[in-house]
Amino acid sequence: MPFGSGPRKCIGYRFALLEVKILFFNLLSYFEIVPVQETQIPVKICKKSLNMSPEGGLSIALKRRQ
Ligand code: HEM
């Protein structure tokens, strides 16, 4: 729940999600996301965090598309 919830929920969340989608569209049109040696497969979800996040972070790399 990165935008909170209830009556004081972020009013910019639709705009923020749109921005992130545009960012990923542009990023993924030039690069693909690839695993590296440190990438956990399958990903372990951190049980201490309120948000759903990978334990110890997520190591990935970007590879330029041909
Ligand atoms: C990734 C981007 C963003 C994240 C993660 C985020 C997150 C949050 C969070 C957690 C809150 C508090 C919600 C609560 O108290 O329950 C909040 C409030 C708010 N956000 Fe965002 N926000 C983002 C982008 C934006 C944008 C782009 C705008 C405006 C264009 C915006 C405007 C606001 C406003 C005005 C509030 C106060 C709402 C209120 O108190 O009634 N936010 N945001």
Side-chain angles (χ1 to χ4, degrees), residues 25-44:
F25 173 83
N26 282 297
L27 186 77
L28 293 174
S29 63
Y30 292 103
F31 299 95
E32 59 181 298
I33 297 172
V34 292
V36 290
Q37 209 172 2
E38 298 82 32
T39 309
Q40 283 180 16
I41 302 175
V43 173
K44 286 191 196 127

Side-chain angles (χ1 to χ4, degrees), residues 49-63:
S49 162
L50 187 63
N51 291 336
M52 202 168 91
S53 56
E55 206 170 86
L58 183 65
S59 299
I60 49 162
L62 295 175
K63 186 177 158 200

Side-chain angles (χ1 to χ4, degrees), residues 3 14-26:
F3 299 104
R14 287 175 201 273
F15 179 63
L17 283 178
L18 186 67
E19 282 184 309
V20 172
K21 285 177 191 171
I22 293 168
L23 183 145
F24 269 94
F25 173 83
N26 282 297

Side-chain angles (χ1 to χ4, degrees), residues 2-5 8-12 15-16:
F3 299 104
S5 66
R8 302 307 299 264
K9 180 178 179 164
C10 176
I11 59 162
F15 179 63

